[in-house]
Amino acid sequence: MLFISGQMSFVKMNQAVGIRAIAVNFPESVRTNDYWKKNYPGLLAELDRKNQNLRLFDNDAQENSNWVQAVKPYREDIFRGALERRVLGENQTSISIECGAIEKVLQARKLAASDVDLLISCAMFPEELVIGNATSIAKNLGFRGVAWNLNATCGGALLALENAVALIRDKRFKRVLVSLSCNYSKHVEYTNSFSFTLGDGAAAFIVEKLEEGQGLLHSYSTNTYDTCGVIYPRFTVDKMGTPKVLVTVNKETVKDVTSLLIKYFQQCCQKVLSESGMKVGDIDYFIFYSPTAGYVDFCALELNIPKNKIIDIFPQYANISVVSAIAALYHAAALKKIRKDDLVMIYSHGFSGSSVASIIRWGDVALGPAPTPSENLIPAPVGAR
């Protein structure tokens, strides 16, 4: 069932369809804060003099005490709460890491690519901006099924899940594979402090019929047109004259970012709970997209959720866009924070895209192998509190 009002939609699923397997695939190259300390000490000194620490305090945000409390520990941190971030190797692309995630999720589910009916790729950014990654991935895998691209910026994963569930429920397809990738390191210069908070990675999940009562139960989404132009791609050329896209922040409109983060979170989470007839206390675990340090803690404070019901992967991965929510879901399940038949609420937003809140009932989900350990993954598992 699909209910649409203006730019908003609420979906209630009547059949048991949802995620059956998840895998993540991160580059082995890890960039810690020492990279900038060793290679760009002058940059850090200049930033320190200019006090360009975490700038996430517009006037409206100052009025939200939960936001102020959540991000207070990071205001004086030049690296904005990130400890490390994965970055693509010299010969890696968003296509290659998506293919790696797909291979891992197929192995976890003990399937071949030919067992999949539809491939949906959500890339931020695709290697070929006009075409997207889907058909290139299909070519690399020898996949002859249907292949689509879906773009809702950082909110794409949950919209892809929603579409996959609807298509299976309507008997268009039996099994859908969704792949996600983020290659920010190729689109932000390391001398830009914005790069401190961005990372690369990929994930994939398989959607199919599940046991009765499991899978995607409810979903609410809205477009985010208020954010158009806040962060945008700027076209340039590199030293070799090759066209290049750089992620650019609009210094005039970025001051409104915080209040918009708060607005979309409140709207989507409140709506999906009210329309589903559920309360916060009914949910066993929560997954929140983590674009900045402290954002997951803010979400928990807003909904009055205990910290043992959330996971924050930002310190170890930084902002990994469309991959973030599914990577957090993977790590929560790997840490056994989520168990079969638990109700899980997932929220993600994308600037110039969509914000989505979904409620799922966790089933028997196969997990791919854990990422290669790193300095900060070894002493404490990702998201451990």
Side-chain angles (χ1 to χ4, degrees):
M1 299 175 67
L2 173 63
F3 304 91
I4 300 177
S5 177
Q7 80 275 24
M8 300 164 287
S9 65
F10 172 71
V11 179
K12 180 178 180 180
M13 298 298 173
N14 296 320
Q15 296 181 21
V17 181
I19 295 174
R20 184 62 180 81
I22 299 178
V24 295
N25 187 43
F26 288 96
E28 293 190 7
S29 177
V30 178
R31 181 155 290 152
T32 67
N33 297 340
D34 285 342
Y35 171 81
W36 285 275
K37 293 177 182 178
K38 293 177 180 178
N39 295 287
Y40 301 102
L43 170 65
L44 298 184
E46 181 183 354
L47 292 176
D48 191 49
R49 284 194 300 271
K50 292 181 177 180
N51 196 30
Q52 288 190 1
N53 46 45
L54 190 63
R55 295 182 180 273
L56 291 176
F57 286 82
D58 58 52
N59 292 332
D60 290 338
Q62 287 278 23
E63 298 176 2
N64 187 299
S65 60
N66 287 332
W67 178 264
V68 174
Q69 179 182 337
V71 301
K72 184 178 180 180
Y74 312 103
R75 292 195 68 182
E76 304 302 322
D77 180 7
I78 288 178
F79 294 103
R80 308 174 186 182
L83 299 176
E84 59 185 41
R85 62 291 290 155
R86 303 296 177 104
V87 296
L88 293 175
E90 185 176 350
N91 297 318
Q92 288 184 308
T93 66
S94 61
I95 292 172
S96 68
I97 60 173
E98 274 191 68
C99 286
I102 289 171
E103 290 170 359
K104 290 178 180 180
V105 81
L106 289 173
Q107 290 171 5
R109 185 66 181 96
K110 299 180 180 179
L111 296 173
S114 57
D115 295 318
V116 173
D117 303 304
L118 168 65
L119 165 67
I120 301 177
S121 171
C122 305
M124 191 72 183
F125 296 86
E127 294 301 312
E128 299 181 50
L129 294 180
V130 176
I131 300 174
N133 284 353
T135 51
S136 294
I137 291 170
K139 180 179 179 180
N140 287 356
L141 297 176
F143 175 68
R144 286 295 181 181
V146 183
W148 295 344
N149 295 292
L150 187 152
N151 182 3
T153 61
C154 303
L158 294 183
L159 285 185
L161 171 62
E162 184 178 308
N163 277 274
V165 169
L167 289 166
I168 293 172
R169 184 190 50 160
D170 289 343
K171 300 180 180 180
R172 294 283 304 278
F173 302 102
K174 291 183 178 180
R175 184 177 287 120
V176 178
L177 193 156
V178 177
S179 63
L180 318 162
S181 65
C182 176
N183 61 352
Y184 275 144
S185 68
K186 285 191 170 185
H187 302 286
V188 180
E189 296 173 336
Y190 294 128
T191 53
N192 182 340
S193 61
F194 192 32
S195 67
F196 299 169
T197 63
L198 303 176
D200 301 332
F205 58 90
I206 294 172
V207 181
E208 57 186 72
K209 289 185 178 180
L210 304 177
E211 294 178 17
E212 189 64 31
Q214 296 176 350
L216 180 62
L217 304 180
H218 308 278
S219 184
Y220 176 90
S221 62
T222 179
N223 78 62
T224 58
Y225 69 78
D226 313 76
T227 62
C228 289
V230 174
I231 298 174
Y232 60 94
R234 177 170 62 87
F235 292 87
T236 183
V237 294
D238 61 19
K239 294 179 180 179
M240 303 299 293
T242 304
K244 184 177 182 179
V245 175
L246 293 178
V247 177
T248 306
V249 177
N250 186 318
K251 294 181 180 180
E252 294 299 319
T253 57
V254 73
K255 64 181 183 295
D256 299 321
V257 163
T258 305
S259 54
L260 292 172
L261 290 175
I262 294 171
K263 169 187 172 180
Y264 294 128
F265 170 77
Q266 291 174 335
Q267 177 182 347
C268 290
C269 292
Q270 290 170 2
K271 284 289 187 178
V272 78
L273 287 169
S274 63
E275 296 288 352
S276 67
M278 294 185 184
K279 299 179 180 178
V280 171
D282 297 325
I283 308 298
D284 298 295
Y285 205 79
F286 298 81
I287 299 292
F288 301 121
Y289 164 53
S290 52
T292 65
Y295 185 74
V296 171
D297 286 333
F298 157 74
C299 295
L301 289 169
E302 280 287 286
L303 297 180
N304 195 26
I305 301 167
K307 287 194 173 183
N308 65 345
K309 287 190 174 186
I310 59 174
I311 186 169
D312 188 359
I313 66 172
F314 183 84
Q316 290 85 3
Y317 292 124
N319 182 347
I320 47 176
S321 185
V322 68
V323 180
S324 180
I326 299 304
L329 188 62
Y330 168 88
H331 280 294
L335 291 167
K336 301 189 184 302
K337 293 173 177 283
I338 301 174
R339 300 181 183 275
K340 187 176 181 180
D341 291 324
D342 278 354
L343 282 174
V344 182
M345 180 171 156
I346 312 171
Y347 170 76
S348 187
H349 65 256
F351 278 16
S352 302
S354 294
S355 287
V356 190
S358 299
I359 297 174
I360 66 173
R361 188 176 294 280
W362 197 247
D364 184 14
V365 180
L367 300 178
T372 303
S374 64
E375 179 182 342
N376 288 294
L377 285 177
I378 293 172
V382 167
R385 290 178 175 268

